[in-house]
Amino acid sequence: MLPAIHKVAVYEPALLLEDIPHLIGWIDRFDREMTEGKVAAALVTSMLGLRLGPPIMNVMPRGLLTWLTGLMMKSEDKNAKPGDATMRTLAPTLHYEGVLLAEMAETVDGFADIQAEVLLLGGSKGLPFLKPTLSRLEKTIPNVERIELPGLDHDASGDAGKRNPAGRPEVVAAELRRFFTSAATT
């Protein structure tokens, strides 16, 4: 909405169109578990609520998932270098992600007034609940280009590492470079 901004690029924007109660219904439980110091349980709550894990997670006992998540966090904490962002330190930020999802749910039509050129990026293996959003934004925003990057998931724009072995930031960076260095069409 700022006239000085002529180009905007987003990777799988977190705007919900479908199954909203389920995709934001985890926030209260997550907050309660975090308040009680049950970080592993809170992470499981957010992963299940946002459908971030493989389908097998949906049939595994919550206690087992919490125990496995706790083991993973202990290992990560043990191997972390000073200043590393671990799941334990990042866990509290998930509250804000949930709040933003709730606040922005069903607001896609409000993006019809954007005058800037917009690049919508997503991975072919991205979060299924975000795909309808990308399609709707593509139809809503007047000056938009949409690119689906084959084989990439929601984390693929991040650095490759133990937590994100499929990271392909160079693929996303190439699209960003192309988009931001091309002449404006508006």
Side-chain angles (χ1 to χ4, degrees):
M1 303 315 273
L2 300 173
I5 296 176
H6 301 282
K7 291 187 173 194
V8 176
V10 293
Y11 190 96
E12 294 191 359
L15 301 170
L16 302 177
L17 295 176
E18 305 175 343
D19 202 12
I20 294 165
H22 182 266
L23 290 166
I24 63 172
W26 57 272
I27 300 169
D28 289 339
R29 181 177 182 158
F30 173 88
D31 288 344
R32 188 172 53 258
E33 290 167 336
M34 287 298 292
T35 299
E36 295 169 358
K38 299 176 181 176
V39 179
L43 288 172
V44 168
T45 294
S46 67
M47 287 187 286
L48 291 172
L50 291 170
R51 301 181 193 134
L52 297 178
I56 187 100
M57 282 183 64
N58 297 320
V59 296
M60 291 176 71
R62 182 179 274 274
L64 177 60
L65 290 171
T66 301
W67 180 73
L68 291 170
T69 302
L71 285 178
M72 183 273 310
M73 287 175 29
K74 284 180 185 176
S75 173
E76 185 181 48
D77 291 344
K78 179 181 171 186
N79 296 315
K81 295 174 182 73
D84 279 357
T86 64
M87 285 310 299
R88 187 178 309 281
T89 60
L90 293 174
T93 67
L94 292 171
H95 163 84
Y96 302 104
E97 196 163 333
V99 169
L100 285 172
L101 281 170
E103 287 178 1
M104 296 301 295
E106 299 181 320
T107 62
V108 171
D109 292 336
F111 293 90
D113 296 332
I114 292 177
Q115 296 305 306
E117 289 182 62
V118 176
L119 175 63
L120 292 176
L121 295 166
S124 64
K125 295 181 178 180
L127 296 174
F129 64 85
L130 294 179
K131 290 196 180 284
T133 300
L134 287 167
S135 295
R136 179 94 160 269
L137 283 170
E138 184 178 19
K139 294 173 186 164
T140 302
I141 299 171
N143 194 6
V144 67
E145 175 185 2
R146 179 178 174 190
I147 296 178
E148 184 169 277
L149 301 165
L152 298 189
D153 63 16
H154 188 65
D155 294 328
S157 61
D159 292 334
K162 283 184 179 180
R163 192 178 312 137
N164 185 27
R168 301 285 309 276
E170 70 280 1
V171 173
V172 177
E175 289 298 339
L176 294 173
R177 194 174 300 109
R178 177 197 58 77
F179 177 71
F180 284 110
T181 58
S182 66
T185 60
T186 55

